Amino acid sequence: MAPPEGPRAPLEFGGPLGAAALLLLLPATMFHLLLAARSGPARLLGPPASLPGLEALWSPRALLLWLAWLGLQAALYLLPARKVRAPLAHARGREAEGLGEGEDAPGLIRAPLDPQVAEGQELKDKSRLRYPINGFQALVLTALLVGLGVSAGLPLGALPEMLLPLAFVATLTAFIFSLFLYMKAQVAPVSALAPGGISGNPIYDFFLGRELNPRICFFDFKYFCELRPGLIGWVLINLALLVKEAELRGSPSLAMWLVNGFQLLYVGDALWHEEAILTTMDITHDGFGFMLAFGDIAWVPFTYSLQAQFLLRHPQPLGLPMASAICLINAIGYYIFRGANSQKNTFRKNPSDPRVAGLETISTATGRKLLVSGWWGMVRHPNYLGDLIMALAWSLPCGVSHLLPYFYLLYFTALLVHREARDERQCLQKYGLAWQEYCRRVPYRIVPYIY
Ligand SMILES: NC(=O)C1=CN([C@@H]2O[C@H](COP(=O)(O)OP(=O)(O)OC[C@H]3O[C@@H](n4cnc5c(N)ncnc54)[C@H](OP(=O)(O)O)[C@@H]3O)[C@@H](O)[C@H]2O)C=CC1
Ligand SMILES: CC(C)=CCC[C@@H](C)[C@H]1CC=C2C3=C(CC[C@@]21C)[C@@]1(C)CC[C@H](O)C(C)(C)[C@@H]1CC3
């Protein structure tokens, strides 16, 4: 289908050339990290000690395991009985009546949403998609199944040896899946396309993703991939590394416990607050192409578990005072991250909620308001600040002898600075003068008095 006429979004990531480079660079970086973490010198910069042959990458057992994992997560996504009720008067009614968020038309009877189903943001064609809210359940059920498997003799400690072939099949899956998504988008209606992925350049559009919310019936591919196989896979890999360390050294180290605990908290939190993802730019703005598909199913599980991979081969001594200081850093980061995200989500859902009703706001021409006090009056992206502080706490248990475990912190800083610039551009476009006023009143972007 031809791209729609009219102004197109400016090209990002260095245009088609940048996208082509990233198509190769992202998987190459992931394999470099996997190899570096298992090598003696564990160098972040510089070539890996040895390059693996195809026999180290390709394993039919890894392929089977990977497909079984995707199948299990897809089944858990579809599991609960979903009662779909229509129409959703409370969501659409407000806008139709020209009312603000949280206001109802007089006499309007709210049709309660099934607690297991959430509605997304309004789309170009004024419709809203529905999403199952059962991610936390999927995490718990996966934990139960893995627990049952281990007690029946499943060798979880063998998983770390399979990381390379698993990452290889995950990368292959991401390429094949992105091709499917690209072709599916060719027959999608124009209103279903994302603003950024319709440049007309096939490489660029393949990378960024053409369709905003590709689905088959109720199965939403982007929503599924963003939260399930990759995030839950990440904590499973961490757990397997912990088990392997216990097998090798008698018990897991304190550093390994901390990394596992912090990252489990992060993933558990994401799944507990699953509905909040529906307002992130990945879901509302970006198409679903190679960047997100590879990011979700390969990059997240295999590179976000880097600290635990590093610790397995490079044990680090960690005393209780240092461990307590690191826990405090993680707790501060989490407090800011959760406080900021929840404050914005509560405000967006219902500005008259008593938890946010007293906060100062700026009105915008769109009818939506912007918070200028509370967390969002401190810096313009307080949630990024909390996330970055947590990222530091995840690396500190690995000591300071190597740069490799700090890769996540470095990559994440670059990702969030870039993301922040993209979000600012979109907000300026959306809110115009009101956004300029917000920037004047809250001058710092992520770190108070610094950036
Ligand atoms: N671990 C990882 O790899 C990653 C984690 N993240 C995390 O994901 C979370 C979500 O991030 P992301 O989607 O980028 O962005 P945000 O959650 O920060 O959302 C940005 C949106 O919030 C709204 N907003 C901005 N300022 C205000 C304000 N003052 N008052 C009210 N609303 C405001 C605007 O949307 P609108 O007005 O339309 O509501 C804006 O587009 C973050 O915590 C981030 O740290 C993100 C990327 C990767
Ligand atoms: C380098 C590369 C391949 C980039 C792709 C970026 C993706 C890895 C990230 C884009 C936004 C993400 C989010 C999370 C994970 C990483 C990706 C997919 C997230 C699910 C992590 C948990 C958080 O609590 C979150 C739900 C807020 C978050 C949402 C964004």
Side-chain angles (χ1 to χ4, degrees):
M1 183 156 292
E5 294 302 317
R8 286 176 182 165
L11 296 186
E12 301 184 272
F13 301 99
L17 261 184
L22 284 170
L23 278 175
L24 300 176
L25 258 179
L26 289 173
T29 306
M30 184 181 76
F31 284 107
H32 170 69
L33 295 171
L34 282 165
L35 290 171
R38 60 171 56 200
S39 72
R43 274 197 300 263
L44 173 60
L45 306 168
S50 62
L51 281 178
L54 192 62
E55 69 290 348
L57 291 176
W58 176 249
S59 143
R61 214 156 63 104
L63 177 64
L64 272 182
L65 189 61
W66 177 247
L67 293 178
W69 177 250
L70 291 181
L72 169 68
Q73 293 308 321
L76 292 177
Y77 177 95
L78 294 170
L79 201 60
R82 294 177 309 273
K83 290 170 260 152
V84 178
R85 294 180 199 171
L88 291 162
H90 74 282
R92 280 188 283 275
R94 282 197 307 274
E95 278 148 34
E97 300 286 334
L99 295 164
E101 283 155 311
E103 294 173 79
D104 279 338
L108 181 75
I109 298 165
R110 279 174 174 257
L113 261 186
D114 186 312
Q116 285 176 330
V117 177
E119 272 198 330
Q121 301 283 95
E122 193 177 85
L123 301 173
K124 271 191 226 153
D125 64 1
K126 304 285 172 214
S127 68
R128 285 172 194 263
L129 295 172
R130 285 156 177 256
Y131 300 84
I133 300 296
N134 58 8
F136 195 77
Q137 239 168 274
L139 176 68
V140 173
L141 286 174
T142 306
L144 282 176
L145 287 174
V146 170
L148 275 177
V150 169
S151 56
L154 190 87
L156 192 55
L159 194 65
E161 283 313 312
M162 295 179 73
L163 287 187
L164 220 46
L166 279 172
F168 187 67
V169 291
T171 307
L172 276 185
T173 316
F175 270 104
I176 296 169
F177 184 43
S178 311
L179 206 59
F180 159 76
L181 292 171
Y182 183 80
M183 294 192 317
K184 181 177 177 314
Q186 302 296 323
V187 290
V190 166
S191 63
L193 302 182
I198 47 174
S199 71
N201 181 293
I203 294 183
Y204 183 82
D205 294 349
F206 172 83
F207 179 76
L208 234 70
R210 283 172 62 81
E211 199 174 343
L212 186 59
N213 303 296
R215 295 184 149 211
I216 292 183
C217 301
F218 191 66
F219 198 96
D220 189 296
F221 293 115
K222 199 203 297 179
Y223 180 68
F224 168 72
C225 288
E226 185 115 349
L227 286 172
R228 312 300 178 94
L231 276 194
I232 304 179
W234 169 19
V235 290
L236 182 63
I237 291 174
N238 274 351
L239 179 67
L241 290 157
L242 182 143
V243 168
K244 181 74 185 170
E245 196 188 38
E247 284 171 12
L248 289 177
R249 303 197 184 97
S251 66
S253 61
L254 182 54
M256 184 67 98
W257 276 118
L258 288 194
V259 167
N260 262 262
F262 295 161
Q263 297 184 350
L264 176 63
L265 170 71
Y266 190 67
V267 170
D269 174 272
L271 294 167
W272 186 260
H273 297 101
E274 189 178 19
E275 198 178 335
I277 202 155
L278 299 178
T279 56
T280 61
M281 86 169 73
D282 310 75
I283 301 289
T284 59
H285 183 267
D286 293 342
F288 195 31
F290 181 81
M291 182 180 76
L292 273 183
F294 174 78
D296 291 342
I297 64 176
W299 182 264
V300 166
F302 297 103
T303 66
Y304 284 27
S305 58
L306 190 66
Q307 288 99 351
Q309 292 177 41
F310 171 83
L311 284 174
L312 180 65
R313 265 110 189 170
H314 308 85
Q316 301 291 318
L318 184 64
L320 267 185
M322 188 59 185
S324 312
I326 296 174
C327 285
L328 182 66
I329 296 175
N330 194 65
I332 294 172
Y334 180 70
Y335 180 70
I336 301 175
F337 167 83
R338 180 52 28 230
N341 277 328
S342 291
Q343 195 168 71
K344 177 165 67 74
N345 292 334
T346 307
F347 181 71
R348 280 285 172 251
K349 269 205 253 170
N350 177 13
S352 34
D353 185 305
R355 286 168 294 176
V356 291
L359 295 173
E360 228 185 305
T361 58
I362 302 181
S363 300
T364 74
T366 65
R368 280 158 93 86
K369 290 181 174 161
L370 291 168
L371 290 165
V372 266
S373 68
W375 288 115
W376 298 81
M378 187 171 84
V379 284
R380 298 206 292 273
H381 279 91
N383 48 353
Y384 290 3
L385 175 66
D387 224 338
L388 284 168
I389 296 174
M390 282 192 283
L392 173 67
W394 300 353
S395 301
L396 286 174
C398 302
V400 287
S401 56
H402 291 76
L403 188 58
L404 187 71
Y406 290 82
F407 170 79
Y408 178 74
L409 181 62
L410 298 174
Y411 138 82
F412 199 41
T413 306
L415 180 119
L416 290 184
V417 166
H418 179 246
R419 202 173 163 94
E420 190 274 337
R422 291 179 78 204
D423 190 49
E424 293 260 326
R425 248 197 330 268
Q426 286 163 26
C427 285
L428 184 61
Q429 215 171 29
K430 215 170 2 178
Y431 299 125
L433 284 175
W435 186 258
Q436 286 173 346
E437 166 67 4
Y438 178 49
C439 294
R440 198 186 56 73
R441 290 185 58 178
V442 184
Y444 292 98
R445 295 161 189 264
I446 302 179
V447 188
Y449 304 106
I450 296 180
Y451 178 72

Short mmCIF file of all heavy atoms in Angstrom, two decimals, residues 177-221:
data_model
loop_
_atom_site.label_atom_id
_atom_site.label_comp_id
_atom_site.label_asym_id
_atom_site.label_seq_id
_atom_site.Cartn_x
_atom_site.Cartn_y
_atom_site.Cartn_z
N PHE A 177 10.91 -12.44 11.59
CA PHE A 177 9.68 -11.83 12.11
C PHE A 177 9.52 -10.39 11.57
O PHE A 177 8.43 -9.98 11.16
CB PHE A 177 9.78 -11.85 13.64
CG PHE A 177 8.57 -11.34 14.35
CD1 PHE A 177 7.30 -11.68 13.95
CD2 PHE A 177 8.71 -10.49 15.46
CE1 PHE A 177 6.18 -11.20 14.63
CE2 PHE A 177 7.62 -10.01 16.13
CZ PHE A 177 6.35 -10.36 15.71
N SER A 178 10.63 -9.65 11.52
CA SER A 178 10.55 -8.26 11.02
C SER A 178 10.17 -8.24 9.54
O SER A 178 9.48 -7.34 9.08
CB SER A 178 11.88 -7.53 11.20
OG SER A 178 12.35 -7.71 12.49
N LEU A 179 10.64 -9.27 8.82
CA LEU A 179 10.28 -9.36 7.40
C LEU A 179 8.77 -9.60 7.27
O LEU A 179 8.09 -8.99 6.45
CB LEU A 179 11.06 -10.53 6.79
CG LEU A 179 11.33 -10.45 5.30
CD1 LEU A 179 12.12 -9.21 4.96
CD2 LEU A 179 12.11 -11.70 4.85
N PHE A 180 8.27 -10.49 8.12
CA PHE A 180 6.83 -10.77 8.14
C PHE A 180 6.06 -9.48 8.46
O PHE A 180 5.06 -9.15 7.82
CB PHE A 180 6.54 -11.87 9.17
CG PHE A 180 5.11 -11.90 9.65
CD1 PHE A 180 4.11 -12.43 8.84
CD2 PHE A 180 4.76 -11.39 10.90
CE1 PHE A 180 2.78 -12.44 9.28
CE2 PHE A 180 3.45 -11.40 11.34
CZ PHE A 180 2.44 -11.92 10.52
N LEU A 181 6.56 -8.72 9.46
CA LEU A 181 5.87 -7.48 9.85
C LEU A 181 5.88 -6.46 8.72
O LEU A 181 4.90 -5.76 8.46
CB LEU A 181 6.54 -6.87 11.10
CG LEU A 181 6.41 -7.65 12.39
CD1 LEU A 181 7.30 -7.07 13.48
CD2 LEU A 181 4.95 -7.66 12.87
N TYR A 182 7.01 -6.41 8.01
CA TYR A 182 7.14 -5.46 6.89
C TYR A 182 6.14 -5.81 5.79
O TYR A 182 5.46 -4.94 5.24
CB TYR A 182 8.58 -5.51 6.36
CG TYR A 182 8.84 -4.51 5.27
CD1 TYR A 182 9.08 -3.17 5.55
CD2 TYR A 182 8.81 -4.91 3.92
CE1 TYR A 182 9.31 -2.25 4.54
CE2 TYR A 182 9.03 -3.99 2.90
CZ TYR A 182 9.29 -2.67 3.22
OH TYR A 182 9.49 -1.76 2.23
N MET A 183 6.02 -7.11 5.52
CA MET A 183 5.09 -7.54 4.46
C MET A 183 3.64 -7.35 4.91
O MET A 183 2.79 -6.93 4.13
CB MET A 183 5.37 -8.98 4.06
CG MET A 183 6.73 -9.01 3.43
SD MET A 183 7.28 -10.45 2.58
CE MET A 183 6.82 -11.80 3.50
N LYS A 184 3.38 -7.63 6.17
CA LYS A 184 2.03 -7.46 6.69
C LYS A 184 1.60 -6.00 6.56
O LYS A 184 0.46 -5.68 6.23
CB LYS A 184 1.98 -7.91 8.16
CG LYS A 184 0.61 -7.82 8.79
CD LYS A 184 0.61 -8.35 10.20
CE LYS A 184 -0.74 -8.18 10.87
NZ LYS A 184 -1.37 -6.90 10.73
N ALA A 185 2.58 -5.10 6.78
CA ALA A 185 2.26 -3.66 6.72
C ALA A 185 1.91 -3.21 5.30
O ALA A 185 1.25 -2.19 5.11
CB ALA A 185 3.45 -2.85 7.25
N GLN A 186 2.39 -3.98 4.29
CA GLN A 186 2.08 -3.60 2.90
C GLN A 186 0.58 -3.66 2.63
O GLN A 186 0.08 -2.95 1.76
CB GLN A 186 2.79 -4.52 1.90
CG GLN A 186 4.30 -4.58 2.02
CD GLN A 186 4.97 -3.26 1.73
OE1 GLN A 186 4.54 -2.51 0.85
NE2 GLN A 186 6.00 -2.93 2.49
N VAL A 187 -0.13 -4.52 3.36
CA VAL A 187 -1.56 -4.65 3.10
C VAL A 187 -2.39 -4.01 4.22
O VAL A 187 -3.61 -4.13 4.25
CB VAL A 187 -1.97 -6.14 2.93
CG1 VAL A 187 -1.42 -6.70 1.65
CG2 VAL A 187 -1.52 -6.98 4.12
N ALA A 188 -1.72 -3.31 5.13
CA ALA A 188 -2.45 -2.66 6.23
C ALA A 188 -3.03 -1.34 5.74
O ALA A 188 -2.46 -0.70 4.85
CB ALA A 188 -1.50 -2.41 7.40
N PRO A 189 -4.16 -0.90 6.32
CA PRO A 189 -4.71 0.40 5.91
C PRO A 189 -3.75 1.52 6.31
O PRO A 189 -3.01 1.38 7.28
CB PRO A 189 -6.02 0.50 6.69
CG PRO A 189 -5.93 -0.51 7.78
CD PRO A 189 -4.98 -1.57 7.33
N VAL A 190 -3.79 2.60 5.55
CA VAL A 190 -2.88 3.73 5.81
C VAL A 190 -3.01 4.24 7.25
O VAL A 190 -2.02 4.59 7.89
CB VAL A 190 -3.19 4.86 4.79
CG1 VAL A 190 -2.54 6.17 5.22
CG2 VAL A 190 -2.68 4.46 3.42
N SER A 191 -4.22 4.21 7.78
CA SER A 191 -4.42 4.73 9.14
C SER A 191 -3.71 3.87 10.20
O SER A 191 -3.52 4.30 11.32
CB SER A 191 -5.91 4.80 9.46
OG SER A 191 -6.44 3.48 9.45
N ALA A 192 -3.31 2.65 9.81
CA ALA A 192 -2.65 1.77 10.78
C ALA A 192 -1.14 1.94 10.78
O ALA A 192 -0.44 1.31 11.57
CB ALA A 192 -2.99 0.31 10.46
N LEU A 193 -0.61 2.81 9.87
CA LEU A 193 0.85 2.95 9.78
C LEU A 193 1.39 3.96 10.78
O LEU A 193 0.71 4.92 11.15
CB LEU A 193 1.25 3.34 8.35
CG LEU A 193 0.80 2.37 7.25
CD1 LEU A 193 1.29 2.84 5.89
CD2 LEU A 193 1.27 0.95 7.52
N ALA A 194 2.65 3.74 11.20
CA ALA A 194 3.28 4.65 12.17
C ALA A 194 3.84 5.85 11.41
O ALA A 194 4.26 5.71 10.26
CB ALA A 194 4.41 3.92 12.88
N PRO A 195 3.88 7.02 12.06
CA PRO A 195 4.38 8.20 11.33
C PRO A 195 5.84 8.07 10.90
O PRO A 195 6.24 8.58 9.86
CB PRO A 195 4.22 9.35 12.34
CG PRO A 195 3.95 8.72 13.67
CD PRO A 195 3.44 7.33 13.41
N GLY A 196 6.64 7.33 11.68
CA GLY A 196 8.08 7.29 11.40
C GLY A 196 8.52 6.26 10.37
O GLY A 196 9.59 6.38 9.80
N GLY A 197 7.72 5.24 10.12
CA GLY A 197 8.20 4.13 9.29
C GLY A 197 7.65 4.12 7.89
O GLY A 197 7.56 3.06 7.26
N ILE A 198 7.28 5.31 7.36
CA ILE A 198 6.67 5.33 6.03
C ILE A 198 7.48 6.22 5.10
O ILE A 198 6.94 6.97 4.30
CB ILE A 198 5.20 5.79 6.11
CG1 ILE A 198 5.07 7.05 6.98
CG2 ILE A 198 4.30 4.69 6.64
CD1 ILE A 198 3.68 7.66 6.99
N SER A 199 8.81 6.12 5.22
CA SER A 199 9.67 6.97 4.41
C SER A 199 9.65 6.52 2.95
O SER A 199 9.98 7.29 2.06
CB SER A 199 11.10 6.88 4.93
OG SER A 199 11.63 5.60 4.62
N GLY A 200 9.31 5.26 2.71
CA GLY A 200 9.37 4.74 1.34
C GLY A 200 10.68 4.01 1.09
O GLY A 200 10.81 3.28 0.12
N ASN A 201 11.68 4.22 1.96
CA ASN A 201 12.94 3.48 1.82
C ASN A 201 12.79 2.13 2.54
O ASN A 201 12.58 2.10 3.75
CB ASN A 201 14.09 4.28 2.43
CG ASN A 201 15.42 3.53 2.27
OD1 ASN A 201 15.62 2.49 2.87
ND2 ASN A 201 16.29 4.07 1.44
N PRO A 202 12.91 1.01 1.80
CA PRO A 202 12.61 -0.29 2.42
C PRO A 202 13.51 -0.61 3.62
O PRO A 202 13.03 -1.18 4.60
CB PRO A 202 12.81 -1.31 1.30
CG PRO A 202 13.28 -0.56 0.12
CD PRO A 202 13.22 0.91 0.37
N ILE A 203 14.79 -0.26 3.55
CA ILE A 203 15.68 -0.61 4.68
C ILE A 203 15.30 0.19 5.91
O ILE A 203 15.17 -0.34 7.02
CB ILE A 203 17.16 -0.36 4.31
CG1 ILE A 203 17.55 -1.32 3.19
CG2 ILE A 203 18.08 -0.55 5.52
CD1 ILE A 203 18.96 -1.26 2.76
N TYR A 204 15.08 1.48 5.71
CA TYR A 204 14.71 2.35 6.83
C TYR A 204 13.39 1.90 7.44
O TYR A 204 13.25 1.78 8.66
CB TYR A 204 14.63 3.79 6.33
CG TYR A 204 14.34 4.80 7.42
CD1 TYR A 204 15.35 5.28 8.24
CD2 TYR A 204 13.04 5.27 7.63
CE1 TYR A 204 15.09 6.19 9.25
CE2 TYR A 204 12.76 6.18 8.64
CZ TYR A 204 13.79 6.64 9.44
OH TYR A 204 13.53 7.54 10.44
N ASP A 205 12.42 1.62 6.58
CA ASP A 205 11.09 1.24 7.09
C ASP A 205 11.11 -0.14 7.73
O ASP A 205 10.41 -0.39 8.72
CB ASP A 205 10.05 1.28 5.95
CG ASP A 205 9.83 2.71 5.46
OD1 ASP A 205 10.32 3.64 6.12
OD2 ASP A 205 9.20 2.88 4.41
N PHE A 206 11.95 -1.04 7.18
CA PHE A 206 12.11 -2.37 7.78
C PHE A 206 12.69 -2.21 9.19
O PHE A 206 12.26 -2.88 10.14
CB PHE A 206 13.06 -3.20 6.90
CG PHE A 206 13.47 -4.52 7.49
CD1 PHE A 206 12.66 -5.63 7.37
CD2 PHE A 206 14.69 -4.67 8.16
CE1 PHE A 206 13.04 -6.87 7.92
CE2 PHE A 206 15.08 -5.88 8.70
CZ PHE A 206 14.25 -6.98 8.58
N PHE A 207 13.63 -1.30 9.34
CA PHE A 207 14.29 -1.12 10.63
C PHE A 207 13.34 -0.46 11.64
O PHE A 207 13.16 -0.94 12.76
CB PHE A 207 15.55 -0.24 10.46
CG PHE A 207 16.27 0.02 11.75
CD1 PHE A 207 17.07 -0.97 12.33
CD2 PHE A 207 16.17 1.24 12.40
CE1 PHE A 207 17.73 -0.75 13.53
CE2 PHE A 207 16.83 1.47 13.60
CZ PHE A 207 17.61 0.47 14.17
N LEU A 208 12.69 0.63 11.22
CA LEU A 208 11.86 1.37 12.18
C LEU A 208 10.48 0.74 12.40
O LEU A 208 9.88 0.89 13.47
CB LEU A 208 11.69 2.82 11.70
CG LEU A 208 12.09 3.82 12.77
CD1 LEU A 208 13.60 3.76 12.95
CD2 LEU A 208 11.67 5.22 12.40
N GLY A 209 9.99 0.08 11.37
CA GLY A 209 8.67 -0.55 11.48
C GLY A 209 7.60 0.33 10.86
O GLY A 209 7.50 1.51 11.17
N ARG A 210 6.80 -0.28 9.97
CA ARG A 210 5.77 0.49 9.26
C ARG A 210 4.46 0.53 10.04
O ARG A 210 3.84 1.56 10.18
CB ARG A 210 5.52 -0.13 7.88
CG ARG A 210 6.61 0.20 6.87
CD ARG A 210 6.42 -0.59 5.59
NE ARG A 210 5.15 -0.29 4.93
CZ ARG A 210 4.93 0.77 4.16
NH1 ARG A 210 5.89 1.65 3.96
NH2 ARG A 210 3.76 0.95 3.58
N GLU A 211 4.03 -0.63 10.53
CA GLU A 211 2.71 -0.66 11.15
C GLU A 211 2.84 -0.34 12.64
O GLU A 211 3.76 -0.82 13.32
CB GLU A 211 2.07 -2.04 10.94
CG GLU A 211 0.58 -2.03 11.14
CD GLU A 211 -0.08 -3.38 10.79
OE1 GLU A 211 0.57 -4.21 10.11
OE2 GLU A 211 -1.23 -3.57 11.21
N LEU A 212 1.90 0.45 13.15
CA LEU A 212 1.98 0.88 14.55
C LEU A 212 1.65 -0.25 15.52
O LEU A 212 2.38 -0.49 16.48
CB LEU A 212 1.02 2.06 14.76
CG LEU A 212 1.07 2.75 16.11
CD1 LEU A 212 2.45 3.32 16.40
CD2 LEU A 212 0.02 3.86 16.20
N ASN A 213 0.55 -0.92 15.28
CA ASN A 213 0.11 -1.97 16.22
C ASN A 213 -0.25 -3.25 15.48
O ASN A 213 -1.41 -3.63 15.42
CB ASN A 213 -1.14 -1.51 16.99
CG ASN A 213 -0.90 -0.23 17.73
OD1 ASN A 213 -0.09 -0.18 18.64
ND2 ASN A 213 -1.59 0.83 17.33
N PRO A 214 0.74 -3.92 14.86
CA PRO A 214 0.39 -5.12 14.10
C PRO A 214 -0.23 -6.20 14.99
O PRO A 214 0.28 -6.47 16.08
CB PRO A 214 1.74 -5.61 13.53
CG PRO A 214 2.78 -4.91 14.31
CD PRO A 214 2.18 -3.65 14.86
N ARG A 215 -1.33 -6.73 14.53
CA ARG A 215 -2.08 -7.72 15.32
C ARG A 215 -2.65 -8.79 14.44
O ARG A 215 -2.93 -8.54 13.26
CB ARG A 215 -3.33 -7.07 15.96
CG ARG A 215 -3.07 -6.03 16.96
CD ARG A 215 -4.36 -5.54 17.59
NE ARG A 215 -4.04 -5.14 18.94
CZ ARG A 215 -4.83 -5.20 19.97
NH1 ARG A 215 -6.05 -5.66 19.82
NH2 ARG A 215 -4.45 -4.82 21.15
N ILE A 216 -2.91 -9.95 15.04
CA ILE A 216 -3.80 -10.93 14.41
C ILE A 216 -4.86 -11.19 15.47
O ILE A 216 -4.56 -11.67 16.56
CB ILE A 216 -3.05 -12.22 14.03
CG1 ILE A 216 -2.07 -11.91 12.90
CG2 ILE A 216 -4.04 -13.30 13.59
CD1 ILE A 216 -1.31 -13.08 12.34
N CYS A 217 -6.08 -10.80 15.16
CA CYS A 217 -7.20 -10.80 16.12
C CYS A 217 -6.78 -10.04 17.37
O CYS A 217 -6.33 -8.91 17.27
CB CYS A 217 -7.64 -12.23 16.44
SG CYS A 217 -8.16 -13.10 14.97
N PHE A 218 -6.86 -10.68 18.53
CA PHE A 218 -6.56 -9.98 19.79
C PHE A 218 -5.06 -10.01 20.11
O PHE A 218 -4.60 -9.38 21.05
CB PHE A 218 -7.36 -10.68 20.92
CG PHE A 218 -7.36 -9.93 22.21
CD1 PHE A 218 -7.98 -8.69 22.33
CD2 PHE A 218 -6.75 -10.46 23.34
CE1 PHE A 218 -7.99 -8.00 23.54
CE2 PHE A 218 -6.77 -9.80 24.55
CZ PHE A 218 -7.39 -8.55 24.64
N PHE A 219 -4.30 -10.77 19.31
CA PHE A 219 -2.87 -10.95 19.63
C PHE A 219 -2.08 -9.77 19.08
O PHE A 219 -1.91 -9.62 17.87
CB PHE A 219 -2.36 -12.27 19.05
CG PHE A 219 -1.08 -12.72 19.70
CD1 PHE A 219 -1.09 -13.62 20.75
CD2 PHE A 219 0.13 -12.20 19.27
CE1 PHE A 219 0.10 -14.01 21.37
CE2 PHE A 219 1.32 -12.58 19.87
CZ PHE A 219 1.29 -13.49 20.93
N ASP A 220 -1.60 -8.93 19.99
CA ASP A 220 -0.86 -7.73 19.60
C ASP A 220 0.64 -8.05 19.69
O ASP A 220 1.18 -8.24 20.77
CB ASP A 220 -1.22 -6.58 20.54
CG ASP A 220 -0.65 -5.27 20.06
OD1 ASP A 220 0.60 -5.16 20.02
OD2 ASP A 220 -1.42 -4.36 19.70
N PHE A 221 1.30 -8.09 18.51
CA PHE A 221 2.70 -8.55 18.48
C PHE A 221 3.64 -7.63 19.28
O PHE A 221 4.52 -8.09 19.98
CB PHE A 221 3.20 -8.64 17.04
CG PHE A 221 2.51 -9.73 16.25
CD1 PHE A 221 1.70 -9.43 15.16
CD2 PHE A 221 2.67 -11.06 16.61
CE1 PHE A 221 1.08 -10.43 14.45
CE2 PHE A 221 2.05 -12.07 15.90
CZ PHE A 221 1.25 -11.76 14.82
#
